[in-house]
């Protein structure tokens, strides 16, 4: 990822250009007296949020929440002052920790560290910072949002806290890419307002100016979240760089919690459709509109169906052809948290039909609506697709984490990455059911560097064979291989290093499953929910699988049989995995086309 450098030391100790006045045990005024592009704010991860009203010439211009450092500074975050140049800026800070005395309050580490600076260091030297996945430059990220493709650029927005590495101050961060591999960071696109935080949502390109905001305007629909959740609209006349909020907001209100609107133009009905997660009712609601401002509720789907043990969030709905047939089917994506397949977050989907008003799910042979999962790893959530993608592509991306421990993973100046981009398709499996596939986007082959192992073939039994993994760029690599296990019961693939860390994958030929055990993968103790074994069905009927495995500094994505099965899991090895060991049980296997590429840092 090309890092737009705003360089400033991540840790600042000198205070400069500010005057600090303590008013009591939990209230302090910080007056900006000097010049500088950013106000550097010292953060301590374990502190509680301080509420900071930013007063500009006496009026509250913004309110932000920051874990201002108490006993020590873990890192700093930049507050951009450029919009307020030449004006009187005063921070009215209410810290959550009441102190016994003013003297104690004065000792908080943050007061010595607050300083005006011109640059901010985002060179990101952290050990577990992904080398080829999209991540924010710094700060917290959750769901991908509002993605659209236009004029050769893939726009990716995301739930973003620019003022710390935990969930807070929700805004839409923004990155663009011409190839889904190299991401350029852009300024924050949508910031909180009087209606609340900017939660998840979607964008559409309004080609026919149905909304009246201009031909080709980019329209964002998102949730404004404060005491309640309501749906708002913003429009962009500069291809998604900046958005203007619609003064008539909100455009949808309900009497119960609903969020994450997904909007799309329906060619068949000639109107806009919108799917909204009726979170606590565990269902999706459907709306229609001629102009994206006035919406009519037309249907609902989901109560009592699929996984129901968590809130339904981040929907998507689109039509895809079923591979090798003339048939098309609608796919309804319903992210759910908790109650994912291995605890916490997960992406379930339903296959069926959509008549422009409501969705009807297909039933299986037993007459039930089956629960299906897009990815059987633990770290795949909030997956939604790009709108307006070229060549009929249905390109999706997810948040590569899990609400069970997203805020506790061992990173510091940033938290979370996206999954690799994937291309969705549909296939009919041997059980007669239609399933979704998610194959790595074709652009990802441009990540390949040196081919360190080429077209290796071997017959492997219980003694096994070990192959070296690349060492360049902290061992980041892509491993491709074919396994013919028709004569065996089980095949084990282990990635390991000499610190005793390992990830063990096991293909169970009879059960037709592939498991992924990360219980000894490295650092696992930061959450009880982290050390886990995940298992995916492989759907194949012949004991043969093809795997494509992407290993980054803190994640492994396993794609099987062109994305017919996928597992995405975070791992935090003490040092990179250095070898791959393949063994079999119950008979020999044929390994072929084993190719290993070292990957490039982006
Ligand atoms: C999903 C979610 C969404 C919500 C957003 C808030 O991870 O809970 O439903 O819009 O995160 O950040």
């Amino acid at each position: 990822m090309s890092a737009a450098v705003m360089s400033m030391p991540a840790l600042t100790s000198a205070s400069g250009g500010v005057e600090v006045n303590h008013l009591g045990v939990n209230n302090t005024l910080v007056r900006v007296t000097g010049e500088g592009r950013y106000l550097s704010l010292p953060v301590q991860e374990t502190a509680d949020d301080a509420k900071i009203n930013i007063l500009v010439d006496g009026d509250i211009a913004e309110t932000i929440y920051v874990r201002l450092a108490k006993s020590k500074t873990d890192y700093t975050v930049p507050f951009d002052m450029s919009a307020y140049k030449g004006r009187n800026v005063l921070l009215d800070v209410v810290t959550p920790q009441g102190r016994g005395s003013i003297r104690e309050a004065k000792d908080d580490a943050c007061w010595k560290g607050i300083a005006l600076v011109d640059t901010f260091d985002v060179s990101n030297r952290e050990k577990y910072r992904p080398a080829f996945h999209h991540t924010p430059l710094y700060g917290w990220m959750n769901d991908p949002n509002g993605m659209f493709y236009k004029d050769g650029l893939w726009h990716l927005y995301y739930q973003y806290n620019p003022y710390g590495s935990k969930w807070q101050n929700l805004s839409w961060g923004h990155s663009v890419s011409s190839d889904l591999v190299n991401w350029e960071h852009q300024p924050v696109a949508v910031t909180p307002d009087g209606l609340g935080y900017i939660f998840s949502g979607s964008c559409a390109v309004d080609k026919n100016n149905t909304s009246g905001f201009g031909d080709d305007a980019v329209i964002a629909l998102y949730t404004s979240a404060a005491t309640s959740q309501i749906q708002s609209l913003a429009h962009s006349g500069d291809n998604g760089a900046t958005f203007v909020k619609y003064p008539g907001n909100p455009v949808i209100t309900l009497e119960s919690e609903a969020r994450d609107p997904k909007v799309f133009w329906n060619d068949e009905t000639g109107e806009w459709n919108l799917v909204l997660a009726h979170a606590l009712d565990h269902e999706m609601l459907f709306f229609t509109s001629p102009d994206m401002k006035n919406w009519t509720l037309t249907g609902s789907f989901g109560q009592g169906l699929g996984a129901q043990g968590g809130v339904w969030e981040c929907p998507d709905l689109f039509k895809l052809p079923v591979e090798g047939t003339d048939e098309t089917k609608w796919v309804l994506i319903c992210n759910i948290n908790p109650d994912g397949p291995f605890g916490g977050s997960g992406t379930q989907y339903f296959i069926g039909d959509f008549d422009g008003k409501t969705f009807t799910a297909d039933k299986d042979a037993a007459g039930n609506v089956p629960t299906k999962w897009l990815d059987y790893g633990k770290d795949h959530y909030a997956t939604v697709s790009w709108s307006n993608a070229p060549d009929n592509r249905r390109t999706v991306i997810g948040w590569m984490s899990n609400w069970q421990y997203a805020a506790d993973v061992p990173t510091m100046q940033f938290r979370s990455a996206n999954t690799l981009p994937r291309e969705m398709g549909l296939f009919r499996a041997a059980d007669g059911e239609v399933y979704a596939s998610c194959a790595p986007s074709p652009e990802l082959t441009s990540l390949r560097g040196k081919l360190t192992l080429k077209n290796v073939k071997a017959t492997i039994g219980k003694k096994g064979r070990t192959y070296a993994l690349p060492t360049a760029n902290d061992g980041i690599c892509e491993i491709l291989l074919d396994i013919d296990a028709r004569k065996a019961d089980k095949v084990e693939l282990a990635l390991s290093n000499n610190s005793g860390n390992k990830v063990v994958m096991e293909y169970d030929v009879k059960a037709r499953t592939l498991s992924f055990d990360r219980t000894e993968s490295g650092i696992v103790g930061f959450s009880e929910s982290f050390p886990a074994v995940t298992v995916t069905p492989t759907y194949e009927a012949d004991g043969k699988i093809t795997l494509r495995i992407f290993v980054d500094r803190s994640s492994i994505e396993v794609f099987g049989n062109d994305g017919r099965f996928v597992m995405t899991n975070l791992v935090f090895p003490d040092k990179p995995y250095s070898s791959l060991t393949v063994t079999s049980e119950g008979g020999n296997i044929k390994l072929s086309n084993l190719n290993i590429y070292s990957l490039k840092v982006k």
Side-chain angles (χ1 to χ4, degrees):
M1 166 155 341
S2 57
V5 172
M6 303 157 65
S7 41
M8 167 177 87
L11 296 178
T12 307
S13 55
S15 79
V18 297
E19 189 185 288
V20 179
N21 286 296
H22 298 284
L23 309 180
V25 290
N26 69 339
N27 192 195
T28 300
L29 287 180
V30 179
R31 182 175 294 283
V32 177
T33 52
E35 298 262 314
R37 169 80 199 257
Y38 306 104
L39 192 58
S40 164
L41 302 171
V43 175
Q44 182 174 3
E45 283 285 77
T46 51
D48 291 325
D49 279 313
K51 178 180 181 184
I52 309 179
N53 279 331
I54 316 272
L55 295 151
V56 178
D57 294 338
D59 289 325
I60 298 178
E62 293 179 52
T63 300
I64 61 173
Y65 292 83
V66 184
R67 293 172 184 269
L68 285 180
K70 244 173 97 179
S71 54
K72 71 170 173 80
T73 298
D74 291 325
Y75 56 89
T76 64
V77 290
F79 177 78
D80 192 344
M81 299 283 295
S82 46
Y84 308 128
K85 208 169 161 45
R87 310 193 39 202
N88 291 297
V89 179
L90 185 66
L91 275 58
D92 183 359
V93 184
V94 178
T95 55
Q97 311 85 359
R99 296 290 197 273
S101 67
I102 264 248
R103 192 162 175 188
E104 218 182 295
K106 281 181 175 173
D107 281 344
D108 280 358
C110 58
W111 311 125
K112 287 181 218 93
I114 294 185
L116 278 168
V117 291
D118 283 319
T119 52
F120 183 71
D121 180 359
V122 287
S123 47
N124 299 313
R125 298 168 209 86
E126 282 188 58
K127 177 173 175 182
Y128 294 122
R129 189 167 176 87
F132 59 89
H133 284 82
H134 174 262
T135 57
L137 280 180
Y138 59 91
W140 163 272
M141 175 175 83
N142 57 290
D143 318 351
N145 290 145
M147 298 108 74
F148 68 93
Y149 175 90
K150 190 166 184 283
D151 303 334
L153 287 180
W154 300 85
H155 290 261
L156 168 61
Y157 301 86
Y158 50 89
Q159 289 286 281
Y160 185 43
N161 178 11
Y163 305 120
S165 303
K166 296 201 178 194
W167 188 96
Q168 200 34 293
N169 303 305
L170 270 290
S171 310
W172 276 22
H174 184 202
S175 296
V176 294
S177 174
S178 58
D179 59 6
L180 292 167
V181 171
N182 294 287
W183 292 99
E184 294 286 338
H185 294 278
Q186 305 295 312
V188 173
V190 194
T191 51
D193 57 29
L195 291 178
Y197 281 174
I198 313 300
F199 271 18
S200 287
S202 54
C203 283
V205 180
D206 190 6
K207 294 181 182 156
N208 300 320
N209 193 16
T210 60
S211 59
F213 294 119
D215 278 347
D216 261 11
V218 177
I219 311 296
L221 282 144
Y222 58 88
T223 302
S224 295
T227 308
S228 301
Q229 298 181 353
I230 52 183
Q231 316 314 316
S232 295
L233 182 152
H235 54 98
S236 172
D238 59 5
N239 288 330
T242 58
F243 283 87
V244 176
K245 287 166 184 153
Y246 174 51
N249 282 337
V251 294
I252 298 176
T253 61
L254 292 171
E255 290 171 358
S256 47
E257 207 168 296
R259 56 180 174 266
D260 312 336
K262 173 73 189 200
V263 65
F264 65 95
W265 177 255
N266 190 327
D267 272 333
E268 288 162 21
T269 59
E271 54 188 356
W272 294 100
N273 280 124
L274 182 141
V275 193
L276 192 61
H278 205 195
L280 307 177
D281 295 69
H282 316 286
E283 63 174 358
M284 295 301 176
L285 303 177
F286 305 96
F287 296 79
T288 58
S289 171
D291 57 8
M292 291 189 267
K293 296 179 226 163
N294 299 289
W295 291 98
T296 308
L297 178 64
T298 54
S300 66
F301 167 84
Q303 281 204 2
L305 297 175
Q308 287 277 323
V311 287
W312 283 31
E313 304 184 314
C314 303
D316 204 345
L317 179 61
F318 43 80
K319 200 157 87 167
L320 284 175
V322 181
E323 199 184 294
T325 72
D326 296 335
E327 210 184 347
T328 53
K329 279 281 160 201
W330 285 84
V331 184
L332 177 65
I333 290 190
C334 306
N335 287 283
I336 177 171
N337 177 65
D339 209 17
F342 304 100
S345 318
T347 302
Q348 66 174 327
Y349 66 91
F350 298 92
I351 303 289
D353 290 306
F354 179 65
D355 62 3
K357 293 191 163 40
T358 201
F359 177 86
T360 320
D362 288 354
K363 295 193 170 137
D364 61 16
N368 300 316
V369 173
T371 307
K372 297 175 178 173
W373 301 97
L374 209 51
D375 185 303
Y376 280 84
K378 265 197 86 124
D379 299 296
H380 175 275
Y381 194 55
T383 299
V384 285
S385 67
W386 263 271
S387 66
N388 203 38
D391 310 321
N392 289 322
R393 288 172 69 169
R394 188 51 67 173
T395 309
V396 298
I397 199 165
W399 175 47
M400 196 158 55
S401 199
N402 190 313
W403 281 113
Q404 285 180 326
Y405 44 72
D408 304 315
V409 296
T411 65
M412 192 56 97
Q413 205 191 359
F414 81 99
R415 276 224 178 79
S416 300
N418 288 110
T419 65
L420 289 174
R422 301 157 184 205
E423 305 298 317
M424 278 195 62
L426 296 179
F427 66 99
R428 199 175 283 281
D431 64 1
E433 283 293 303
V434 173
Y435 293 95
S437 60
C438 262
S441 293
E443 287 87 347
L444 293 168
T445 52
S446 72
L447 282 168
R448 290 177 183 168
K450 198 170 162 204
L451 183 60
T452 61
L453 217 60
K454 195 176 167 192
N455 289 336
V456 171
K457 260 189 180 176
T459 300
I460 300 179
K462 55 177 182 299
K463 273 169 86 194
R465 294 250 180 138
T466 295
Y467 304 96
L469 295 176
T471 51
N473 299 336
D474 301 324
I476 59 169
C477 62
E478 181 186 347
I479 305 168
L480 299 102
L481 54 101
D482 295 343
I483 292 173
D484 178 343
R486 283 177 294 181
K487 300 210 171 107
D489 295 333
K490 284 183 179 161
V491 186
E492 188 182 282
L493 303 163
L495 302 180
S496 61
N497 61 23
N498 61 10
S499 296
N501 304 151
K502 60 178 180 184
V503 163
V504 181
M505 290 172 249
E506 190 180 84
Y507 173 34
D508 185 324
V509 185
K510 291 212 183 79
R512 289 197 197 118
T513 56
L514 180 77
S515 61
F516 185 112
D517 181 341
R518 68 171 177 197
T519 53
E520 294 174 58
S521 56
I523 301 177
V524 298
F526 53 87
S527 160
E528 273 183 7
S529 310
F530 189 79
V533 182
T534 67
V535 190
T536 177
T538 52
Y539 301 112
E540 88 340 299
D542 60 1
K544 291 198 226 166
I545 55 170
T546 292
L547 297 179
R548 222 174 133 185
I549 304 170
F550 289 85
V551 183
D552 203 340
R553 291 191 184 116
S554 53
S555 64
I556 299 180
E557 281 152 290
V558 185
F559 295 90
N561 293 350
D562 288 328
R564 288 181 175 214
F565 57 94
V566 192
M567 273 188 289
T568 301
N569 283 311
L570 294 178
V571 286
F572 299 97
D574 296 317
K575 55 184 175 186
Y577 304 115
S578 47
S579 56
L580 163 70
T581 304
V582 184
T583 40
S584 82
E585 243 179 65
N588 288 347
I589 59 148
K590 288 208 170 82
L591 172 76
S592 58
N593 296 319
L594 172 62
N595 285 289
I596 302 184
Y597 291 90
S598 178
L599 297 182
K600 297 175 199 157
V601 176
K602 288 295 164 184

